[in-house]
Amino acid sequence: MNEKLEEARRTFLDRMAAVSFSLINQERDAMVVNNDTFFQLDGDDEDITPQSDLSLPNRSIFVVTTAALPWRTGTAVNPLLRAAYLSRKMKEINNNNQTNATTSEQQMVTLVIPWLELEEDRLELYGNNHNFTTSQEQEDYIRDWLRGANMNEEADPVNGLRILFYPARYHSGLKSIFAMGDICATLRNQTEGSLLSDAVCVLEEPEHLNWYRCPGEGWTKVFGFVVGIVHTNYVEYASSQFIHGLWTAPAIQVMSSAMIRAYCHKVIKLSGVLQTYAPEKECCENVHGVRQDFIQEGRRRALEAASLSGSNLASRELNEEVEGQVYFIGKILWAKGFELMLQLQEFYHECTGKYFAIDVYGGGPEEGEIKRAFHGRRNSWNGEESDSDSDSEDTFRDNLKKLKSIEVPKSLYEWRRKPIPANFCGPVDHSLLGKYKTFVNPSTSEVLCTTTFEALAMGKFVIIPVHESNKFFLQFPNCLGYRNKWEFAANLRWALTHEPEPLTPELAKEFTWEAATDRLIGSSAITRREAKERYNLGKAKLDERIAYFHRELGKHDALRRVLGGGPASNQVRYELERQGLDQDNSEKFAMSSFVKAIKSTFISNNHHSQAASLSGGSAA
């Protein structure tokens, strides 16, 4: 039965590919006007086009993301801090170019975040302690968090960061939040339409925001300039975690590229480990920063190092045997490099005759088996035999229960006789781990590892593999990159017998969100030369065709269900109910070119199948 379902699903996807080819190549359906390029071309080649220049005064910016506090995930925290520091930056620009006395008091930056309408979704993600009953309560929580991060001006609801919500659902199968209804329409209802047409929109995870979106106007039609920031390697995520509807690696690669191409003017990838989406639009840049807590710890370490005399420093450098120097923090999953960590432990043991002690912080569903891989399996048979038959029978039952409770080994490491000195300490705020000197992270599954960035900001040694995802970190003197096990062992030996180099003010600035905001403004810019090159490529028409096809594709909720949309599938029904419109739009949908293409494809396919069967019957 499963094979038949899988065959049917593949057949459907093949037919959808034929439909997309049919639609994208129908120029009359795409309704694309081949007018001049969107960007102004007059002027020097190196001048920045006005649409893409975020450093111009009085620019209104909307930061749209897929998650919100109190869910402590990267797409909740980083966009919030980005929006807050953009708000600070825009006020600074306006004050320096002030032509209107009220300009500096306006809310120039808006954070657009999901509001989980269903209580069960909020309970699952936020827990009982944060079961908000209104979006205003959640907004108050977020503003309090900003105040705790020393951003009182940005937390001000009148003159600081503006926060808007869009309705959303939590997809537990994909562990992701998806919008319900048209986000652009929601923003139009809460903002002046003319403001949006001149505004900049920053889409955090643009592919995620658009996979199951409700049909409506595209982002590039609503906003003056759209920047997409790609956080997650969903191709790797899909291939290792899910086979769920749309979530197969080849499908997600094609779909993500299409969404980003259709809805962004500029694409910023946090590192080169990500796939290619739209070569003429994209660049690689780390536009993240870290909280001030981490930078303050780095400054404290620098001051402490400066206060030590040479003799005291020399005595500290020889203190290799002290435990509690090396640590890791992150999710406790095999995908986070723990098998590589075990291999490095074994090699270090071969070289030195001992394992290196490490404290591991974090949690995750695979924590138990990873612990056993480090510590080895322990004998769980503690019962003692008895001479009586009844006692023997009871002992047998007890041992049988214990036998049933023993988990099947998940790796050969669990059979080790000599345990590795690894302490699993549970989740903790990284900023509280100032006592450690060396952070070890062998993982290469992240796009840009936040904990590595934080450890460097704290002035620690960081030992990481030389990899595309770590390219930004390798510029710092305390980053000890390795290309093989020998280099890892040498780097760890060096880190255990030396002190990290104190952070200079220039280096410390690189970790700040102020520097990250400057990098965002710089990497978002499009020069007139680039605009001319894009125009000559002629890809704008293709982008609009993809957006058109996606809008037509999204007019039927059943297709979203087939592609794994789950609770985010009924977008059209949701939007019609919200607008109080008649839900019976089947006649209009049936007349669309999309349905016609599907019908023609299916009819053609059926005719071929019938012909093949008749031919086979005649041959028989």
Side-chain angles (χ1 to χ4, degrees):
M1 184 63 182
N2 289 335
E3 293 179 1
K4 291 183 178 179
L5 287 174
E6 181 62 22
E7 183 179 354
R9 189 172 74 88
R10 289 177 180 173
T11 301
F12 173 78
L13 291 175
D14 288 342
R15 289 173 176 173
M16 289 307 305
V19 171
S20 65
F21 181 82
S22 173
L23 275 177
I24 289 176
N25 285 280
Q26 291 178 18
E27 187 169 347
R28 55 185 170 79
D29 277 342
M31 296 182 292
V32 177
V33 179
N34 189 17
N35 53 12
D36 291 337
T37 180
F38 170 77
F39 299 102
Q40 298 176 12
L41 301 179
D42 297 333
D44 295 335
D45 283 350
E46 300 309 314
D47 289 346
I48 298 173
T49 56
Q51 297 93 334
S52 67
D53 192 351
L54 274 62
S55 65
L56 293 177
N58 301 327
R59 299 224 69 173
S60 179
I61 300 177
F62 289 75
V63 178
V64 186
T65 188
T66 58
L69 292 177
W71 193 16
R72 294 298 183 94
T73 185
T75 48
V77 177
N78 288 319
L80 170 59
L81 290 171
R82 189 183 332 282
Y85 279 93
L86 274 171
S87 177
R88 181 178 293 182
K89 184 71 174 182
M90 292 302 107
K91 286 189 176 183
E92 176 187 328
I93 291 172
N94 290 338
N95 286 333
N96 293 337
N97 299 273
Q98 193 167 350
T99 58
N100 186 333
T102 62
T103 299
S104 62
E105 299 301 322
Q106 294 177 356
Q107 291 178 299
M108 303 304 296
V109 179
T110 302
L111 177 67
V112 185
I113 54 178
W115 164 249
L116 294 173
E117 295 181 309
L118 302 180
E119 184 179 10
E120 55 264 34
D121 288 348
R122 297 195 297 273
L123 286 171
E124 183 168 357
L125 278 186
Y126 307 150
N128 290 319
N129 293 334
H130 303 295
N131 184 21
F132 310 112
T133 57
T134 66
S135 59
Q136 184 60 51
E137 292 179 7
Q138 187 170 4
E139 179 178 340
D140 293 340
Y141 175 90
I142 292 170
R143 294 191 185 279
D144 286 341
W145 189 90
L146 283 174
R147 293 183 186 99
N150 297 318
M151 305 196 75
N152 293 324
E153 289 186 17
E154 290 70 28
D156 182 18
V158 177
N159 298 318
L161 180 66
R162 186 186 185 198
I163 299 177
L164 297 179
F165 290 85
Y166 61 85
R169 298 278 191 275
Y170 177 62
H171 194 314
S172 58
L174 300 179
K175 295 180 172 47
S176 298
I177 295 174
F178 293 99
M180 293 301 296
D182 186 358
I183 300 180
C184 291
T186 300
L187 294 179
R188 282 190 185 280
N189 292 335
Q190 301 182 60
T191 311
E192 294 181 15
S194 60
L195 175 62
L196 296 183
S197 62
D198 295 329
V200 175
C201 181
V202 178
L203 297 180
E204 309 274 355
E205 295 205 309
E207 70 281 50
H208 182 155
L209 282 165
N210 289 293
W211 284 326
Y212 299 123
R213 66 167 296 188
C214 180
E217 282 192 281
W219 299 93
T220 55
K221 297 294 185 184
V222 175
F223 289 92
F225 185 65
V226 182
V227 180
I229 300 177
V230 188
H231 293 240
T232 307
N233 190 352
Y234 281 110
V235 173
E236 174 66 24
Y237 191 52
S239 61
S240 62
Q241 300 290 330
F242 294 105
I243 303 177
H244 181 94
L246 171 65
W247 280 75
T248 58
I252 209 71
Q253 184 172 11
V254 173
M255 193 65 173
S256 296
S257 180
M259 295 302 94
I260 289 174
R261 174 171 284 286
Y263 297 119
C264 297
H265 293 117
K266 188 64 181 279
V267 183
I268 300 173
K269 303 192 299 186
L270 293 181
S271 77
V273 75
L274 290 162
Q275 70 175 83
T276 298
Y277 300 98
E280 74 280 9
K281 296 183 178 184
E282 62 187 48
C283 67
C284 287
E285 184 62 86
N286 175 15
V287 292
H288 285 355
V290 301
R291 299 195 329 253
Q292 284 295 321
D293 311 45
F294 300 102
I295 299 170
Q296 288 170 3
E297 171 61 20
R299 289 170 178 157
R300 184 197 66 79
R301 282 173 169 268
L303 291 173
E304 182 182 356
S307 66
L308 290 174
S309 64
S311 59
N312 289 336
L313 189 59
S315 64
R316 287 181 55 170
E317 289 175 353
L318 299 176
N319 205 2
E320 179 188 359
E321 302 299 326
V322 174
E323 292 188 5
Q325 296 190 77
V326 182
Y327 77 106
F328 168 87
I329 184 169
K331 292 180 181 178
I332 311 299
L333 299 170
W334 286 112
K336 296 302 181 182
F338 279 96
E339 185 168 1
L340 295 172
M341 181 87 77
L342 287 163
Q343 294 172 8
L344 294 172
Q345 284 277 8
E346 296 298 339
F347 185 79
Y348 192 81
H349 183 267
E350 291 177 16
C351 294
T352 65
K354 59 186 176 182
Y355 297 110
F356 62 89
I358 185 169
D359 291 343
V360 180
Y361 291 89
E366 297 170 348
E367 182 175 356
E369 59 194 73
I370 291 173
K371 276 185 181 180
R372 293 195 299 271
F374 276 83
H375 298 157
R377 299 180 71 86
R378 290 181 172 82
N379 191 344
S380 61
W381 298 83
N382 297 320
E384 297 182 359
E385 293 186 3
S386 174
D387 293 335
S388 66
D389 293 338
S390 60
D391 287 345
S392 297
E393 187 175 348
D394 291 340
T395 302
F396 175 77
R397 288 198 191 98
D398 291 341
N399 288 338
L400 185 61
K401 290 179 181 178
K402 292 176 181 178
L403 182 62
K404 290 180 179 179
S405 67
I406 294 176
E407 294 188 36
V408 177
K410 301 295 174 61
S411 69
L412 294 176
Y413 295 108
E414 295 188 28
W415 299 108
R416 68 170 63 254
R417 292 185 178 180
K418 188 174 182 180
I420 293 173
N423 299 315
F424 289 79
C425 308
V428 70
D429 188 327
H430 193 183
S431 64
L432 301 177
L433 302 181
K435 64 179 181 179
Y436 294 94
K437 186 173 73 168
T438 305
F439 176 73
V440 173
N441 183 14
S443 174
T444 56
S445 63
E446 291 88 357
V447 175
L448 185 82
C449 186
T450 302
T451 52
T452 299
F453 203 16
E454 292 168 348
L456 283 169
M458 296 169 83
K460 301 178 180 184
F461 283 125
V462 165
I463 304 178
I464 54 176
V466 176
H467 186 262
E468 191 67 35
S469 62
N470 293 325
K471 188 175 180 180
F472 178 83
F473 306 132
L474 296 173
Q475 64 180 302
F476 298 102
N478 290 330
C479 182
L480 308 178
Y482 64 90
R483 287 161 291 191
N484 52 54
K485 295 176 184 178
W486 286 104
E487 289 187 1
F488 171 83
N491 285 346
L492 181 58
R493 170 72 178 175
W494 173 271
L496 292 174
T497 56
H498 293 78
E499 286 297 319
E501 187 173 319
L503 278 183
T504 63
E506 293 76 19
L507 281 177
K509 184 180 178 181
E510 289 296 306
F511 299 102
T512 65
W513 270 101
E514 287 87 354
T517 303
D518 290 338
R519 291 194 293 267
L520 171 65
I521 293 173
S523 55
S524 298
I526 298 174
T527 64
R528 298 185 190 277
R529 183 194 302 277
E530 291 173 299
K532 290 177 183 178
E533 291 172 352
R534 287 196 193 187
Y535 178 67
N536 292 332
L537 282 173
K539 293 292 184 71
K541 183 178 289 188
L542 173 63
D543 297 348
E544 292 201 26
R545 286 178 179 175
I546 294 172
Y548 164 79
F549 173 60
H550 186 230
R551 185 171 66 251
E552 291 293 309
L553 196 70
K555 288 181 179 178
H556 203 36
D557 290 337
L559 191 57
R560 263 183 290 271
R561 286 193 288 272
V562 171
L563 296 176
S569 296
N570 296 325
Q571 295 283 357
V572 175
R573 182 193 300 174
Y574 179 91
E575 187 66 24
L576 290 172
E577 288 177 351
R578 188 167 69 166
Q579 296 179 19
L581 300 177
D582 184 6
Q583 294 186 37
D584 188 12
N585 64 337
S586 56
E587 182 177 350
K588 179 180 178 181
F589 179 75
M591 296 302 294
S592 68
S593 57
F594 173 66
V595 171
K596 291 177 182 178
I598 289 180
K599 286 181 178 179
S600 63
T601 304
F602 272 60
I603 290 171
S604 174
N605 188 283
N606 287 336
H607 284 168
H608 287 306
S609 299
Q610 290 173 7
S613 62
L614 288 173
S615 175
S618 300

